Amino acid sequence: MELIHFLLGIIVCTTGLFVFLAENPVHSVLFLILTFFNSSAILLLLNAEFLALIFIIVYVGAIAVLFLFVVMMLNIKVATASNTFKPLAFLGSIFLIIQLFLFLEKSFTS
């Protein structure tokens, strides 16, 4: 059970990272929907069924679909950006994840 929880947490962190690393805005919204689904799966593992269903109904059913509709209606052109930001953002996010794990380890071991 803890392994499933840990794997879902890694998937949530990864898809959350891909929300802003995806070049296509439609792909970014789809990663956001996947993040919400995985978050609701974590809530199901924690026996919070009502919150899991609210995540799916409210966030995926309303907000994320609205984002997807707006992005598709705007017809955003994918601009070619320099690649200097993505490695910097990736390294910064890895640094923050390591800091979070170190903080949680220190707080739970004492």
Side-chain angles (χ1 to χ4, degrees):
M1 187 68 110
E2 292 178 11
L3 179 66
I4 296 171
H5 188 283
F6 184 69
L7 290 175
L8 283 173
I10 288 174
I11 292 172
V12 166
C13 290
T14 306
T15 55
L17 182 68
F18 283 140
V19 167
F20 68 90
L21 286 180
E23 291 184 14
N24 194 344
V26 176
H27 293 162
S28 179
V29 173
L30 291 176
F31 278 122
L32 182 68
I33 291 172
L34 187 62
T35 304
F36 288 146
F37 272 122
N38 287 323
S39 298
S40 68
I42 290 175
L43 287 172
L44 279 175
L45 287 176
L46 296 174
N47 292 329
E49 292 89 6
F50 179 73
L51 288 176
L53 290 175
I54 292 298
F55 260 53
I56 291 174
I57 291 170
V58 172
Y59 288 115
V60 176
I63 295 173
V65 172
L66 181 68
F67 285 167
L68 187 62
F69 178 72
V70 167
V71 165
M72 291 177 77
M73 290 297 293
L74 287 177
N75 196 12
I76 298 174
K77 303 285 188 238
V78 177
T80 57
S82 64
N83 290 333
T84 58
F85 177 72
K86 288 188 180 180
L88 185 64
F90 182 73
L91 289 175
S93 62
I94 293 296
F95 176 73
L96 288 176
I97 289 171
I98 290 172
Q99 289 291 324
L100 178 68
F101 281 129
L102 290 175
F103 173 74
L104 290 175
E105 180 188 7
K106 186 176 181 180
S107 63
F108 283 122
T109 55
S110 64

